[in-house]
Amino acid sequence: MLLRFRGPDGTFRLEVNPQDDFSALTSTLGQNLPKDVDLSSIVLSNQPVNGQERRLKDLRGVPIGAPGLRHGDLLFLSYKKHSPLTNGHSKETSSATPSSTISTSRNRLNGNPVLPTEAVSVLPPKPTATDKDIPKNAWETVEQSRLDDELDKKDGKIARPRDQKMCRHGPKGMCDYCTPLEPFDPKYLAEKRIKHLSFHSYLRKINSATNKPELNSSYVPPLSEPFYRVRPDCPSGHPPWPEGICTKCQPSAITLQPQSFRMVDHVEFASSELIDSLLNFWRRSGAQRIGYLYGRYEEYKEVPLGVKAVVEAIYEPPQIDEVDGVSLQEWMNEKDIDELASLCGLEKIGVIFTDLIDSGAGDGKVLCKRHIDSYFLSSLEIVFAARLQAQHPKPTKWSDTGRFGSNFVTCVVSGDEDGAIGISAFQASNSAVEMIRADIVEPSAEPSLMLVQDEDDTGNILTGSRYIPEVFYRRINEHGASVQENAKPSFPVEYLMVTLTHGFPSDPRPVFQSTDFPIENREAVGEAQDVQILAKTLGIGRGKVDQNREVKAVSDFHILCYIHVMGVLSKDEERILCTVATEHDLAEGFRLVSTPGWATLVAILQESGERPPKRDSWSFLPEDHHHYHPDHNVNERLAKRLKSISLR
């Protein structure tokens, strides 16, 4: 006969034999109930409330048909669930093998299954029950950067001179025509052709409407990061997604609009040699190249409360370069390079890559692939930039989570409309970063379009591993009206990025002043870093040491990285080395050369020595034999000269 069962997690039907024992129901019910249900606590009842209740384990030995149950009867279930572990997962979930989750985790770019552990670096860290040190209000203890603290202290007002025509007051007065403007004033931004608000200007704009000191109200963080995923801590009490969902935990519909602000306003390269050295790889091989930008953030005074990223060095990680793209390899010493950069007062601030194709005319021009009628940043590049920005969040006390957006920038070296080589700087919007985290979008074969993912191929949302909310975007139609369009199956990538300005200083003063040492990971074009080249660069040979040259030559980020890999210097000696390289202090330089670690390095370089210059084999021939004759024996034309050999 058929019996119906109704519990807190839904209703299901089971076909049972009236002659079977009630104990046989335990395993059958366990297959239809959530994994974290304690089967020994199951209670059966004939009514939802105030019915005759019996524990299932107490009915052992009683036939199912004995209580008078008939075909189609409805029984009500109540039970308890196992208490969760300290990491927030149940025992069954924590013991599940990775193979059991492969079917719900996919990578649509190549079709290969991806384990959930392989994408953890993109997602923000999940809070755990053992994190007792995490405060309830994260914005109260978060440590901002020094630049953000300085900009918070400024009012950002835009001063205006006294209008000679309209101002009727004295020199110490003020009126509407000379009152300082707010940093987010739209007329001033339009006059200066500033497309996006700076982050701190945007912060002042929304904070003035959120927190009003004159009302003596409590502080409320004005910033909140977008969240497009199903919330795991739903208070409704239903099973977590994908087994259950409600209006409290499911994300709302997404309406995309161009982001009105940007986290960084300008990218400044400390020297043009940084770009030229990156282009040299393309000039010699014809393949593309990618590198990470190391520098610092400073105030950008051309924009009210603006921020600029100053690039001091470009590190090229292990990669496979091709004519139409780059494949990044595993970067084993990434943490070591980041630590070395911090000793120099620098940090990883962005990424840069080339996309160049020679025009073939022989005039040095390149093809223009990125323009207003095609794209400026492809959908695949936006996903790449968004993942990097998710790995480098910006800490701020103005957000309820203690972080908001990212200062990580993306630069592209490509051809412009005149056929010259130009640089473009971008950032993925905050909405783009969250949509990548939530696995809502994926790149398409058309660079200018981004695809919206499907929830599940079977069409059942309760069996999928991701929830895809409705996605819309607003555009201006042919009649000039703002209309809302459905983003499925694709939408333009312009809604997911913001543009930045870039340039070079009029008076370059780069931190690193030497560029003689080869760049790392360039064996494909015949450039390699070794001890002998280091000795030659530092002016250290057999029996000779030029200390003045040593101090000047170490001002090269690539030399610092190579010496760090050698592991000769201690931490304190590396700190002195980085001080000499960045501050160019001769006193610190002589202090460096007197350390035991540097003496060991010099001894190693002296043992290797500089390679002697290759002798010209033709110089040993008579003057009338300086022309090549194929009939001559090579052994007759070449000779070895041995000098001062002693057998004592």
Side-chain angles (χ1 to χ4, degrees):
M1 64 180 179
L2 196 67
L3 293 180
R4 295 178 295 162
F5 296 88
R6 179 176 298 173
D9 295 289
T11 303
F12 55 90
R13 297 179 296 179
L14 293 179
E15 187 174 353
V16 298
N17 188 351
Q19 305 301 326
D20 290 344
D21 192 279
F22 266 102
S23 60
L25 281 177
T26 304
S27 59
T28 309
L29 291 174
Q31 298 176 0
N32 293 271
L33 295 175
K35 301 296 183 182
D36 56 347
V37 170
D38 186 4
L39 299 181
S40 62
S41 65
I42 296 179
V43 177
L44 301 177
S45 176
N46 60 344
Q47 296 292 336
V49 181
N50 298 328
Q52 298 179 0
E53 298 182 352
R54 295 288 185 274
R55 286 183 176 270
L56 182 60
K57 65 179 182 179
D58 296 338
L59 297 176
R60 182 173 301 176
V62 179
I64 297 177
L69 296 176
R70 299 179 181 179
H71 179 76
D73 283 352
L74 177 63
L75 295 178
F76 297 90
L77 300 175
S78 61
Y79 42 77
K80 297 180 181 179
K81 295 185 178 181
H82 293 291
S83 59
L85 300 179
T86 56
N87 62 353
H89 299 279
S90 63
K91 296 180 180 179
E92 288 78 9
T93 305
S94 62
S95 61
T97 58
S99 60
S100 64
T101 59
I102 292 180
S103 60
T104 60
S105 181
R106 296 168 295 180
N107 189 330
R108 293 183 178 271
L109 292 180
N110 53 19
N112 295 329
V114 179
L115 296 178
T117 55
E118 298 178 356
V120 172
S121 60
V122 180
L123 299 177
K126 295 182 178 180
T128 61
T130 58
D131 293 337
K132 298 181 180 179
D133 296 334
I134 298 179
K136 183 178 180 181
N137 299 331
W139 63 86
E140 296 179 353
T141 58
V142 67
E143 294 185 5
Q144 295 187 141
S145 65
R146 183 180 301 178
L147 177 61
D148 288 335
D149 291 335
E150 293 177 356
L151 292 177
D152 286 343
K153 296 177 182 178
K154 296 185 177 182
D155 59 0
K157 299 285 187 177
I158 304 171
R160 291 191 296 173
R162 184 172 181 271
D163 195 327
Q164 299 297 331
K165 295 182 178 179
M166 306 301 297
C167 293
R168 305 298 182 183
H169 52 77
K172 296 184 179 181
M174 187 176 295
C175 66
D176 293 339
Y177 297 98
C178 60
T179 303
L181 300 176
E182 294 290 345
F184 48 84
D185 185 75
K187 293 183 179 180
Y188 176 83
L189 298 178
E191 179 184 352
K192 298 296 182 180
R193 296 183 179 180
I194 300 175
K195 186 177 181 180
H196 300 279
L197 286 172
S198 65
F199 167 69
H200 284 271
S201 297
Y202 172 75
L203 178 60
R204 303 295 171 85
K205 180 179 180 180
I206 63 173
N207 189 47
S208 60
T210 305
N211 296 293
K212 297 182 179 181
E214 61 273 10
L215 299 180
N216 294 326
S217 58
S218 59
Y219 171 76
V220 177
L223 298 178
S224 180
E225 285 192 307
F227 193 85
Y228 302 149
R229 290 161 284 169
V230 178
R231 296 190 178 276
D233 52 349
C234 182
S236 299
H238 59 75
W241 172 265
E243 298 177 357
I245 194 172
C246 68
T247 56
K248 294 182 180 180
C249 59
Q250 70 179 18
S252 303
I254 304 171
T255 302
L256 295 174
Q257 292 183 352
Q259 187 169 288
S260 60
F261 65 95
R262 53 193 177 190
M263 307 300 296
V264 176
D265 302 280
H266 184 75
V267 180
E268 179 180 289
F269 294 90
S271 173
S272 60
E273 295 180 354
L274 294 173
I275 303 300
D276 192 59
S277 62
L278 184 69
L279 292 176
N280 283 338
F281 185 92
W282 172 76
R283 295 188 182 108
R284 298 180 60 179
S285 65
Q288 310 305 326
R289 195 66 172 169
I290 190 172
Y292 285 99
L293 308 177
Y294 283 89
R296 61 187 179 275
Y297 298 103
E298 296 180 355
E299 183 181 1
Y300 185 53
K301 297 183 179 180
E302 300 298 325
V303 175
L305 299 177
V307 175
K308 68 177 179 180
V310 181
V311 182
E312 294 288 354
I314 300 178
Y315 187 92
E316 301 175 8
Q319 55 192 280
I320 298 177
D321 305 300
E322 300 177 4
V323 178
D324 58 346
V326 176
S327 298
L328 287 174
Q329 303 297 301
E330 185 178 4
W331 188 3
M332 302 295 295
N333 62 336
E334 180 179 4
K335 293 184 179 179
D336 295 335
I337 302 302
D338 291 344
E339 181 180 354
L340 181 68
S342 64
L343 294 178
C344 298
L346 308 177
E347 60 180 308
K348 190 185 299 177
I349 62 175
V351 66
I352 186 172
F353 55 88
T354 62
D355 184 18
L356 298 167
I357 298 179
D358 188 75
S359 62
D363 53 358
K365 294 186 176 182
V366 295
L367 298 180
C368 178
K369 298 171 54 179
R370 302 167 185 261
H371 49 82
I372 193 172
D373 295 326
S374 61
Y375 65 95
F376 292 102
L377 203 64
S378 69
S379 56
L380 181 62
E381 294 163 353
I382 289 179
V383 172
F384 176 66
R387 289 182 180 272
L388 291 177
Q389 290 179 208
Q391 297 172 7
H392 299 83
K394 175 186 177 67
T396 176
K397 65 181 181 181
W398 302 99
S399 174
D400 53 359
T401 59
R403 60 178 181 268
F404 185 80
S406 173
N407 284 355
F408 204 85
V409 300
T410 301
C411 299
V412 185
V413 183
S414 186
D416 58 15
E417 296 179 354
D418 298 328
I421 297 177
I423 306 174
S424 302
F426 304 93
Q427 274 192 313
S429 65
N430 292 356
S431 297
V433 175
E434 178 56 27
M435 294 180 80
I436 297 301
R437 281 198 186 111
D439 198 19
I440 295 177
V441 295
E442 64 177 350
S444 67
E446 178 63 32
S448 61
L449 296 177
M450 185 74 76
L451 295 178
V452 179
Q453 297 260 37
D454 293 329
E455 288 177 345
D456 192 21
D457 295 336
T458 62
N460 186 1
I461 64 173
L462 294 180
T463 61
S465 61
R466 57 171 174 254
Y467 179 83
I468 307 298
E470 292 292 332
V471 183
F472 304 94
Y473 69 95
R474 303 196 68 86
R475 68 177 184 89
I476 305 299
N477 62 5
E478 61 275 9
H479 304 291
S482 177
V483 296
Q484 182 171 284
E485 298 284 348
N486 194 337
K488 292 184 178 181
S490 62
F491 62 93
V493 297
E494 286 79 10
Y495 291 88
L496 301 180
M497 68 178 187
V498 292
T499 58
L500 317 179
T501 60
H502 72 280
F504 299 89
S506 56
D507 184 17
R509 294 182 181 179
V511 169
F512 303 107
Q513 298 181 350
S514 178
T515 58
D516 298 334
F517 195 68
I519 299 176
E520 60 282 334
N521 302 313
R522 285 197 175 185
E523 291 80 4
V525 292
E527 294 184 18
Q529 297 176 336
D530 56 27
V531 178
Q532 294 175 338
I533 297 179
L534 178 61
K536 182 179 179 180
T537 305
L538 298 180
I540 300 175
R542 295 185 181 274
K544 65 173 184 178
V545 177
D546 188 352
Q547 293 186 350
N548 292 329
R549 183 175 177 182
E550 291 178 37
V551 175
K552 297 179 181 178
V554 295
S555 184
D556 188 335
F557 187 71
H558 306 287
I559 281 185
L560 300 181
C561 295
Y562 185 76
I563 294 177
H564 176 78
V565 172
M566 294 179 66
V568 179
L569 304 182
S570 64
K571 292 294 183 181
D572 293 336
E573 292 168 344
E574 280 189 352
R575 188 174 292 103
I576 300 175
L577 175 63
C578 293
T579 303
V580 175
T582 55
E583 298 181 4
H584 321 118
D585 190 351
L586 292 179
E588 290 292 330
F590 288 112
R591 179 188 172 193
L592 172 66
V593 298
S594 62
T595 57
W598 187 262
T600 304
L601 177 63
V602 171
I604 295 174
L605 299 182
Q606 284 180 331
E607 286 296 324
S608 64
E610 298 182 18
R611 293 180 179 176
K614 294 182 179 180
R615 293 193 180 103
D616 186 4
S617 59
W618 301 101
S619 62
F620 302 118
L621 298 178
E623 293 183 1
D624 56 346
H625 288 79
H626 279 189
H627 299 284
Y628 175 68
H629 299 284
D631 296 335
H632 282 263
N633 190 347
V634 177
N635 294 330
E636 295 178 359
R637 293 185 286 105
L638 299 179
K640 274 191 176 182
R641 295 185 177 182
L642 304 179
K643 183 179 181 180
S644 63
I645 298 180
S646 175
L647 300 179
R648 294 181 181 178

